[in-house]
Amino acid sequence: MTVASVIVDIPTSQTDRPFDYAIPPELVGVVQPGMRVVVPFGTRFLQGFVIELKETTDMPLEQLKPIHSLFDVVPVFNEELLRLGKWLAETTLCFMVSAFQAMLPAAMKAKYEKDIRLIEQHMPFIHEKVRALFRDRLVIPWREVAQTPYVPLLQKEIARGHMEVVYRVEEKGKIKTEKWVERCASDDDVTHALVSLSQRAIKQKQMLERLLTARSLPLKQLLSETNSTFATVQALMKKQLVTVTEKEIYRDPYANRSFTKTKPLPLTDEQRQALQAIGQTIDEDVHDVFLMYGVTGSGKTEVYMQAIDLVLKKGKEAIVLVPEISLTPQMVKRFKERFGSKVAVLHSGLSLGEKYDEWRKIQRKEVQLVVGARSAIFAPFENIGIIIIDEEHETSYKQEEAPRYHARDVAIFRGRYHRCPVVLGSATPSLESFARAQKGVYKQVTLTKRMNDHAMPPVDIVDMREELRAGNRSMFSRLLFEKLTGRLQKGEQSVLFLNRRGYSSFVMCRDCGHVIQCPHCDISLTYHRVQQQLKCHYCGYEQRMSSHCPACQSEHIRFFGTGTQKVEEELTKLLPEARVIRMDVDTTSRKGAHERLLREFGEGKADILLGTQMIAKGLDFPNVTLVGVLAADTMLHVPDFRAAEKTFQLLTQVSGRAGRHHLPGEVVIQTYTPEHYSIQFASKHHYEAFYEREMMNRKKHGYPPFYYLTLITVSHVDALKGISIAEKIAAHVKKHLSAEAVVLGPVASPIARMNDRYRYQCMIKYKREANLTTALRTIMEHYQREMTRGDVTITIDLNPYMM
Ligand code: ADP
Ligand code: ZN
Ligand code: ZN
């Protein structure tokens, strides 16, 4: 194979195809599909991904430019991941190179100009070594590579090539190494040496004796344990009793934590049935998607872990996805305790270097299991036996930048490829998934009972309109305040929850709770202060802001929003003796802050934990007996067709935080719309009733799971040009789709101006449209030049998650 197809690292339509390069003689047999290479492109050198090797190309071979050098000794993508990259690009309409970049840890996104210069300096030397290593073989397993004598050098040089960049980003991003002393002589030789060593060589004796038991030890440790100097090691080296090698060491965020091993628990009947169903597909190597529907505390995680056991026993690997936000130390701990050093952990709390090291453990098959957030779905395992997505309804599984993929879809792609089960777990499944389970597309397994037999906590709904009538203008209802005070006196803890989107600008009547909505969309209208207008961001409907409530004529109508800071101020005014920990983006932006605040709360250093979304999940504090939701409405009235679903999920999750242990818990939900079905059903912990009701809504208004959605957003510095492009796009789409498809807009986006650019959007609703992707691609190609110039940005999101 002398020609390589390479995807170069410029994300534009013109360059979004493979370019052919000649493989220079010294790299023939070394370059593999899935390796990153450096190639000449125009007047520059660029990074590229080799996707295929070929014998020939349309061009005369001598006209092909040669690959300049390598970034990798071992491919970063195998054949499956290369296919996955192509599939991602096709199904999410992104550039190939963006798909590939998204599949690698951030530390590997090389700023290659400097790297290329470095590689250039070392290249003749590296090429020679690489060639010697690979000789006539195509693929060499990593273990073997690592064992080859000159590889430490090679690895270091190559590593310097790309790690130098990371060094600039973050000191810790460099590959770390450590010197180890290793015994090279046999047991007999060492015993013999011990006898024959001179009486005065006490240090040498001590060292050898230590190495008789340990075989190899880090240099530092050996020196300190035997209280000797490097000269002693050198003396032993001279006698050919030991060698010193340099080993790479991983930056392990959990290195100084110990985990007590836990054993699988005897399962309940329900758990056993669930495990049996999943186990059968593991046994038979077939792909199936399971929806594991079970309330919080019903033992889903235990079933995941025992299914993983089955997979590991077959010598296969497992991927477990958890929402970023619930990757709390508690969740990580459970997997570390069960699976020990078999687990890699990937989440945004790790440094670039730590993430890179965890990724390499996976690539080198030193772990069999990864627990991680969304992007861990790209873990470079080669023999996957199960993929688990916990809290599958979480919207953070959807990436909001290119490639706009949903981890669930990627999981199913990989599950098909590896012929293994995909398990989606949730107490409040997404409507999409529950509907598929109802249809039999997914297999449903259900866990109905909570493990500790604790009933779900009782929920009080407080009508805040009543509070106002009673003259209470505070953010706290009388009931919640009374209960908070009671907890303080008893020394029990409370959690107060406020939605992150608390600044949202819907308009509500403080007297009757009426929220002004779009007559066509069943979505609340958004208040635009400057124009004094209320607008629908889905269909473009607008009306003047009214001074009276259209329902009850009250003048107490205003736009709504409360922030955590405001709540904290009021709380300290009303309950000066309470110790409060506030958790929101402001207080948790520093590395480790999230963990620290939770630990402090767990240690009882505060009475009240006040926070946003990030406190809704995974927390398990025995002393928490009260959960208060301050304004359940703020999440209900965002302009998002999933608002009711998200409200239901959040309320259910938040209420699950109370009374998880021996102390009984209570929940208070404050709302201006106590009659709303998502609040009502959540207070009764009644998922299925909510599902039925919400499905009716979605059907009536033509939303998923009955229809697919695609969102096209156009942003332009010039408002008029922007809208005109958006109109042309809408017309183009209409022309190419069937009469069944609905094209809404263009209208201004919910955030109508961002970074001084005006944003417009079109929404397409459809059931089945064979021409859709082609029509959308044509748009992207048509506006290519303008987009490269930066005048206009067009983004297309198939299956958007709003807000
Ligand atoms: P979920 O993931 O559905 O929220 P978990 O797996 O976390 O539920 O289980 C809740 C609690 O019950 C945990 O403390 C867990 O250790 C315990 N548990 C789970 N399964 C069993 C079992 N079969 N026997 C006893 N305790 C169990
Ligand atoms: Zn009113
Ligand atoms: Zn509307």
Side-chain angles (χ1 to χ4, degrees):
M1 303 281 187
T2 49
V3 178
S5 287
V6 175
I7 300 285
V8 295
D9 192 4
I10 327 178
T12 66
S13 312
Q14 287 107 358
T15 52
D16 191 38
R17 61 178 178 86
F19 291 87
D20 286 345
Y21 286 90
I23 301 175
E26 70 270 27
L27 289 181
V28 170
V30 173
V31 174
Q32 298 299 319
M35 278 184 180
R36 294 171 305 156
V37 291
V38 178
V39 290
F41 194 82
T43 54
R44 302 190 275 167
F45 281 100
L46 291 176
Q47 180 185 247
F49 293 88
V50 177
I51 55 164
E52 197 190 345
L53 298 185
K54 311 189 283 191
E55 288 297 354
T56 53
T57 174
D58 302 339
M59 264 212 275
L61 276 182
E62 60 280 4
Q63 280 183 27
L64 280 187
K65 288 191 197 164
I67 286 179
H68 175 270
S69 49
L70 298 177
F71 262 112
D72 301 305
V73 204
V74 179
V76 290
F77 297 134
N78 57 26
E79 118 113 48
E80 182 221 354
L81 292 172
L82 283 172
R83 269 206 228 173
L84 176 57
K86 274 183 219 166
W87 175 84
L88 266 181
E90 276 160 24
T91 54
T92 71
L93 292 174
C94 77
F95 301 121
M96 290 274 281
V97 70
S98 314
F100 288 143
Q101 296 286 23
M103 293 161 66
L104 292 175
M108 288 168 84
K109 277 168 207 144
K111 294 275 185 306
Y112 30 83
E113 268 152 40
K114 188 171 173 195
D115 301 356
I116 288 167
R117 249 178 287 128
L118 264 166
I119 288 186
E120 210 160 2
Q121 283 166 15
H122 297 286
M123 219 52 208
F125 166 76
I126 292 174
H127 279 186
E128 198 183 296
K129 292 286 180 199
V130 171
R131 207 154 76 101
L133 170 63
F134 282 80
R135 244 163 239 128
D136 320 308
R137 303 163 61 188
L138 284 182
V139 183
I140 300 186
W142 172 258
R143 279 189 197 293
E144 204 176 316
V145 174
Q147 280 158 9
T148 323
Y150 32 82
V151 158
L153 253 181
L154 168 81
Q155 196 185 323
K156 257 166 69 187
E157 296 304 334
I158 298 262
R160 258 173 74 185
H162 62 252
M163 293 316 293
E164 195 63 26
V165 182
V166 182
Y167 177 68
R168 269 186 289 157
V169 179
E170 190 192 52
E171 170 70 41
K172 291 190 215 121
K174 285 201 297 182
I175 289 183
K176 266 199 186 168
T177 54
E178 191 178 59
K179 286 203 168 70
W180 282 62
V181 181
E182 197 162 342
R183 217 183 74 210
C184 52
S186 72
D187 280 8
D188 286 347
D189 291 345
V190 173
T191 323
H192 181 72
L194 277 172
V195 177
S196 58
L197 272 175
S198 112
Q199 284 301 322
R200 276 167 297 144
I202 303 164
K203 295 282 177 205
Q204 291 183 34
K205 274 193 168 158
Q206 279 178 354
M207 211 172 253
L208 267 190
E209 270 161 7
R210 184 74 187 86
L211 284 170
L212 249 184
T213 43
R215 182 115 232 156
S216 74
L217 277 176
L219 176 65
K220 265 194 199 154
Q221 189 187 337
L222 185 65
L223 294 186
S224 78
E225 278 184 11
T226 54
N227 194 20
S228 40
T229 62
F230 193 63
T232 318
V233 179
Q234 279 173 319
L236 289 174
M237 281 165 78
K238 246 195 221 143
K239 295 181 180 126
Q240 299 196 332
L241 291 168
V242 304
T243 50
V244 175
T245 50
E246 204 163 329
K247 279 192 196 163
E248 192 182 330
I249 52 168
Y250 293 124
R251 285 146 292 197
D252 181 355
Y254 303 97
N256 45 19
R257 293 254 303 273
S258 62
F259 298 97
T260 355
K261 182 127 179 81
T262 58
K263 289 215 175 68
L265 300 167
L267 298 182
T268 62
D269 284 347
E270 280 186 339
Q271 282 176 317
R272 203 170 32 245
Q273 275 166 20
L275 183 65
Q276 231 160 36
I278 298 165
Q280 196 178 349
T281 55
I282 294 173
D283 253 5
E284 295 168 0
D285 297 318
V286 291
H287 167 68
D288 248 325
V289 183
F290 290 92
L291 176 65
M292 194 189 293
Y293 163 50
V295 293
T296 322
S298 59
K300 296 188 291 296
T301 312
E302 185 62 36
V303 178
Y304 301 156
M305 291 198 290
Q306 300 202 17
I308 293 170
D309 271 332
L310 299 176
V311 165
L312 299 188
K313 272 196 200 105
K314 286 191 79 174
K316 295 191 175 188
E317 297 129 0
I319 298 178
V320 181
L321 297 193
V322 217
E324 186 69 65
I325 232 159
S326 62
L327 262 172
T328 53
Q330 283 146 316
M331 192 69 178
V332 172
K333 188 164 160 259
R334 285 183 74 177
F335 279 90
K336 285 267 185 186
E337 283 174 344
R338 186 66 57 91
F339 299 104
S341 58
K342 293 196 179 94
V343 193
V345 177
L346 281 173
H347 61 85
S348 67
L350 306 185
S351 70
L352 279 183
E354 287 166 347
K355 269 187 257 186
Y356 177 59
D357 286 354
E358 294 290 296
W359 186 86
R360 276 179 312 155
K361 285 189 209 163
I362 300 169
Q363 198 202 22
R364 294 170 179 182
K365 310 213 163 38
E366 295 169 1
V367 293
Q368 287 74 49
L369 164 63
V370 62
V371 179
R374 182 178 62 226
S375 62
I377 195 60
F378 300 118
F381 281 133
E382 298 200 315
N383 195 9
I384 300 174
I386 194 168
I387 302 173
I388 293 162
I389 305 187
D390 191 34
E391 311 273 11
E392 70 88 31
H393 59 274
E394 270 297 313
T395 49
S396 62
Y397 286 128
K398 170 72 193 296
Q399 174 154 303
E400 291 306 335
E401 59 199 57
R404 297 182 166 74
Y405 68 92
H406 197 297
R408 202 191 291 137
D409 300 329
V410 180
I412 292 171
F413 177 97
R414 299 199 75 182
R416 274 204 197 111
Y417 183 94
H418 290 275
R419 282 185 282 126
C420 76
V422 172
V423 179
L424 311 173
S426 177
T428 52
S430 63
L431 260 67
E432 284 90 337
S433 294
F434 202 76
R436 277 183 202 133
Q438 298 288 73
K439 273 199 204 163
V441 181
Y442 296 169
K443 291 189 173 156
Q444 184 171 325
V445 288
T446 312
L447 303 179
T448 55
K449 294 185 204 69
R450 288 188 105 184
M451 211 35 76
N452 46 20
D453 260 350
H454 285 175
M456 293 296 275
V459 180
D460 275 311
I461 300 177
V462 178
D463 185 344
M464 291 304 276
R465 297 166 302 186
E466 292 288 346
E467 294 296 307
L468 191 71
R469 262 171 235 140
N472 176 12
R473 290 178 174 273
S474 137
M475 294 168 194
F476 301 98
S477 62
R478 290 160 296 170
L479 183 73
L480 180 56
F481 187 72
E482 182 189 303
K483 286 187 191 291
L484 275 174
T485 322
R487 291 311 186 282
L488 270 182
Q489 280 156 5
K490 279 192 278 183
E492 292 173 8
Q493 291 176 303
S494 308
V495 169
L496 289 180
F497 176 80
L498 190 77
N499 194 266
R500 173 166 56 92
R501 293 184 282 266
Y503 300 98
S504 156
S505 44
F506 63 93
V507 172
M508 185 172 69
C509 169
R510 296 261 294 188
D511 277 317
C512 75
H514 180 78
V515 170
I516 302 183
Q517 297 211 317
C518 173
H520 308 295
C521 298
D522 210 11
I523 290 282
S524 50
L525 294 177
T526 302
Y527 176 57
H528 288 248
R529 196 196 300 255
V530 185
Q531 304 112 307
Q532 287 288 307
Q533 291 274 7
L534 294 173
K535 290 186 189 172
C536 171
H537 285 299
Y538 278 62
C539 72
Y541 170 85
E542 57 182 61
Q543 68 178 54
R544 278 203 67 73
M545 170 67 187
S546 41
S547 53
H548 292 79
C549 167
C552 78
Q553 305 310 318
S554 155
E555 288 174 11
H556 291 132
I557 183 159
R558 61 176 185 89
F559 78 101
F560 209 80
T562 347
T564 40
Q565 242 166 323
K566 248 168 102 186
V567 178
E568 191 184 18
E569 278 166 30
E570 185 155 339
L571 204 53
T572 33
K573 240 183 274 160
L574 293 172
L575 289 170
E577 71 277 27
R579 297 162 304 161
V580 180
I581 289 181
R582 174 163 64 93
M583 276 183 76
D584 54 23
V585 274
D586 296 333
T587 63
T588 55
S589 53
R590 280 231 221 103
K591 190 177 180 234
H594 188 165
E595 210 173 303
R596 181 177 51 82
L597 291 175
L598 287 181
R599 198 178 47 240
E600 287 177 8
F601 186 65
E603 288 164 357
K605 291 193 176 136
D607 308 297
I608 298 171
L609 177 65
L610 163 67
T612 55
Q613 249 90 341
M614 59 181 74
I615 63 170
K617 289 171 205 93
L619 305 187
D620 194 358
F621 297 113
N623 204 30
V624 170
T625 58
L626 175 65
V627 168
V629 181
L630 289 182
D633 310 81
T634 53
M635 33 189 160
L636 204 46
H637 303 300
V638 290
D640 175 357
F641 70 90
R642 286 193 178 87
E645 183 181 357
K646 285 182 190 167
T647 301
F648 180 85
Q649 288 161 351
L650 265 164
L651 291 179
T652 307
Q653 228 146 28
V654 177
S655 1
R657 297 304 114 214
R660 289 169 65 86
H661 297 266
H662 54 286
L663 297 169
E666 289 184 282
V667 180
V668 176
I669 296 178
Q670 299 189 163
T671 169
Y672 288 90
T673 40
E675 66 286 349
H676 193 283
Y677 60 92
S678 71
I679 293 176
Q680 283 294 333
F681 289 133
S683 75
K684 298 188 183 90
H685 312 288
H686 204 336
Y687 172 80
E688 275 147 89
F690 170 77
Y691 169 82
E692 297 294 337
R693 176 70 180 71
E694 179 64 6
M695 284 294 272
M696 272 165 48
N697 226 28
R698 298 283 178 90
K699 188 168 190 180
K700 184 167 151 217
H701 296 289
Y703 284 118
F706 295 96
Y707 281 81
Y708 291 106
L709 292 186
T710 287
L711 183 70
I712 306 175
T713 308
V714 177
S715 78
H716 202 295
V717 277
D718 183 324
L720 280 178
K721 283 183 184 152
I723 186 85
S724 126
I725 290 175
E727 270 159 6
K728 277 185 205 137
I729 288 176
H732 174 88
V733 171
K734 266 181 206 150
K735 206 170 85 196
H736 287 86
L737 297 190
S738 74
E740 234 188 285
V742 182
V743 182
L744 296 173
V747 295
S749 293
I751 303 169
R753 186 164 163 238
M754 210 193 242
N755 292 331
D756 288 324
R757 297 170 77 92
Y758 294 87
R759 292 152 42 94
Y760 300 94
Q761 66 182 38
C762 304
M763 174 96 85
I764 316 169
K765 294 180 179 182
Y766 54 99
K767 290 233 181 212
R768 205 164 281 115
E769 291 296 332
N771 297 328
L772 182 68
T773 33
T774 322
L776 296 175
R777 275 206 183 275
T778 323
I779 293 170
M780 294 307 256
E781 272 151 35
H782 183 81
Y783 289 102
Q784 174 57 44
R785 223 170 336 113
E786 285 95 324
M787 291 218 275
T788 316
R789 281 206 309 261
D791 301 351
V792 66
T793 317
I794 300 169
T795 58
I796 297 178
D797 193 346
L798 294 109
N799 183 22
Y801 281 69
M802 340 298 270
M803 306 298 288

